[in-house]
């Protein structure tokens, strides 16, 4: 719930829809965002829209009213969280080929989604240890390894991928591991797991679901049940706790590693300059340079 101490509304939203006038619309999106003092990123692609924006309540509401006036986005679902300060430093509207790069152009969520499971139903499945048909439930994280390290569901399958384009092959290679089980794919806000679930259906998985709205909606409706840690987000907050508040996790701006509160106690952690992951490499490089002098 928003309070006077957290005046900024942070929204995350996407929709897969044919959007063939992205170039023409880019200037309009940038103009409306700037007029309402918003910051963040909007991605415009032929397969739809993806956005992470922040502003004051009336500014966000004005933008959403403008967006929903376009029939293509009238029913777009928005996830909200709140912060004490603006989490973004600038406003960007980008044109891209895909909302999330998978390099599988035949996967088109607009033409039909894989089955989804609502957060409350997933919690019930995890509580009882099986889905409504009695099948064991297996959670599959579609995010990159460094995101998973910040937090994920208990007993989740994590293939330590470095980028989403690796997921299609790795999940194909491990298909036999899921025989007789129900697979639930998930990600931060729902985009990656939406494509992932369709791909899995296409290659023969017979019981696969996507978590509707991703981790953020699960947090919003269920909290942290069956989840360990926080959820990585791509802004200055770095991660959100299950109550959708900024956690104490940080990200190193030198090497982009995620730094836990305990790791931040290390003398190697200097905000903006180094952390326990990159400081040894920095020292080694400095020593090598000195030796060559």
């Amino acid at each position: 719930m928003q309070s006077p101490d957290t005046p900024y509304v942070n929204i995350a939203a996407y929709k897969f829809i044919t959007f063939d006038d992205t170039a023409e619309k880019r200037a309009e999106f940038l103009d409306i965002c700037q007029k309402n003092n918003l910051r963040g990123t909007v991605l415009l692609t032929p397969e739809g829209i993806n956005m992470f924006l922040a502003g004051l309540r009336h500014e966000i509401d004005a933008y959403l009213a403008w967006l929903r006036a376009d029939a293509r986005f009238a029913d777009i679902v928005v996830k909200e969280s709140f912060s004490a300060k603006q989490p973004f430093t600038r406003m960007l509207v980008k044109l891209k080929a895909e909302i999330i790069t998978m390099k599988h152009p035949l996967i088109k969520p607009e033409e039909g989604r894989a089955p989804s499971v609502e957060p409350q139903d997933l919690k019930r499945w995890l509580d009882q240890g099986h889905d409504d048909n009695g099948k064991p439930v297996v959670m599959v994280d579609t995010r990159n390894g460094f995101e998973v390290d910040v937090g994920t569901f208990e007993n989740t399958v994590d293939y330590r991928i470095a980028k989403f384009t690796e997921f299609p092959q790795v999940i194909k290679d491990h298909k036999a591991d899921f025989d007789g089980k129900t697979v639930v794919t998930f990600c931060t806000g729902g985009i990656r797991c939406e494509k992932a679930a369709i791909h899995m259906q296409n290659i023969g998985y017979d019981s696969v679901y996507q978590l509707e709205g991703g981790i953020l909606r699960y947090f919003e409706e269920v909290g942290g049940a069956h989840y360990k840690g926080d959820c990585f987000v791509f802004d200055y907050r770095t991660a959100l706790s299950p109550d959708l508040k900024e956690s104490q996790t940080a990200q190193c701006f030198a090497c982009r590693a995620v730094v836990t509160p305990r790791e931040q106690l290390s003398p190697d952690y200097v905000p903006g300059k180094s952390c326990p992951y990159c400081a040894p490499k920095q020292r080694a490089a400095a020593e090598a340079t000195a030796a060559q002098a």
Side-chain angles (χ1 to χ4, degrees):
M1 182 178 296
Q2 189 170 13
S3 72
D5 294 332
T6 55
Y8 283 93
V9 181
N10 303 272
I11 62 170
Y14 73 93
K15 186 178 181 182
F16 287 101
I17 190 74
T18 298
F19 194 8
D20 52 13
D21 55 343
T22 58
E24 294 86 345
K25 285 289 186 179
R26 181 180 180 276
E28 293 183 34
F29 271 86
L30 187 58
D31 181 63
I32 192 69
C33 289
Q34 290 177 335
K35 283 182 177 178
N36 285 287
N37 303 307
L38 303 184
R39 294 181 187 175
T41 301
V42 177
L43 302 182
L44 308 180
T45 83
E47 66 176 6
I49 187 173
N50 183 25
M51 55 192 182
F52 295 90
L53 295 169
L56 300 179
R57 175 87 268 172
H58 69 281
E59 297 167 341
I60 288 290
D61 288 348
Y63 166 78
L64 290 175
W66 172 85
L67 177 65
R68 287 171 171 150
D70 186 324
R72 294 172 293 188
F73 307 113
D75 60 349
I76 194 166
V77 177
V78 175
K79 293 175 284 294
E80 293 187 351
S81 60
F82 309 102
S83 60
K85 58 182 179 179
Q86 170 61 258
F88 300 103
T89 59
R90 53 183 176 170
M91 182 65 235
L92 299 173
V93 179
K94 299 181 179 181
L95 303 181
K96 293 189 67 177
E98 298 178 70
I99 290 180
I100 182 71
T101 302
M102 193 180 195
K103 296 184 180 179
H104 277 64
L106 296 180
I107 294 178
K108 298 180 179 180
E110 180 189 4
E111 297 179 358
R113 307 176 73 210
S116 62
V117 58
E118 293 291 333
Q120 294 286 355
D121 291 327
L122 175 61
K123 178 183 180 299
R124 178 168 53 81
W125 287 0
L126 295 176
D127 286 344
Q128 63 194 25
H130 56 79
D131 67 9
D132 294 334
N133 296 316
K135 285 187 175 182
V137 175
V138 180
M139 303 296 294
V140 173
D141 203 323
T142 66
R143 300 173 299 159
N144 299 340
F146 75 90
E147 297 173 75
V148 180
D149 290 342
V150 176
T152 190
F153 283 93
E154 297 170 350
N155 303 314
T156 197
V157 175
D158 164 29
Y159 290 115
R160 311 307 300 167
I161 61 175
K163 52 187 177 181
F164 188 52
T165 52
E166 298 174 6
F167 182 83
Q169 187 61 50
V170 74
I171 202 67
K172 181 179 180 181
D173 293 343
H174 290 84
K175 182 175 178 295
D177 298 346
F178 301 98
D179 288 346
K181 301 173 183 177
T182 286
V183 181
V184 178
T185 64
F186 67 93
C187 58
T188 307
I191 299 175
R192 282 174 281 189
C193 56
E194 183 147 351
K195 282 192 169 184
I198 294 174
H199 171 72
M200 291 169 71
Q201 279 192 318
N202 290 348
I203 62 175
Y205 281 77
D206 60 5
S207 185
V208 58
Y209 294 82
Q210 57 190 316
L211 173 57
E212 188 66 38
I215 299 168
L216 294 181
R217 183 169 168 190
Y218 186 90
F219 281 178
E220 184 179 355
E221 297 187 7
V222 175
H226 302 287
Y227 192 95
K228 290 184 177 180
D230 301 318
C231 179
F232 182 88
V233 290
F234 290 90
D235 59 54
Y236 92 88
R237 297 173 297 173
T238 303
L240 298 181
S241 61
D243 59 0
L244 293 175
K245 294 181 180 178
E246 181 181 351
S247 76
Q248 297 304 306
T249 301
Q251 188 172 35
C252 175
F253 286 94
C255 70
R256 313 308 296 175
V258 174
V259 189
T260 67
R262 180 177 293 277
E263 290 169 337
Q264 291 170 38
L265 299 176
S266 167
D268 285 337
Y269 180 64
V270 181
K273 294 183 178 180
S274 66
C275 73
Y277 297 96
C278 64
K281 297 178 182 178
Q282 292 179 9
R283 285 195 293 269
E287 290 171 359
T289 300
Q292 293 173 359

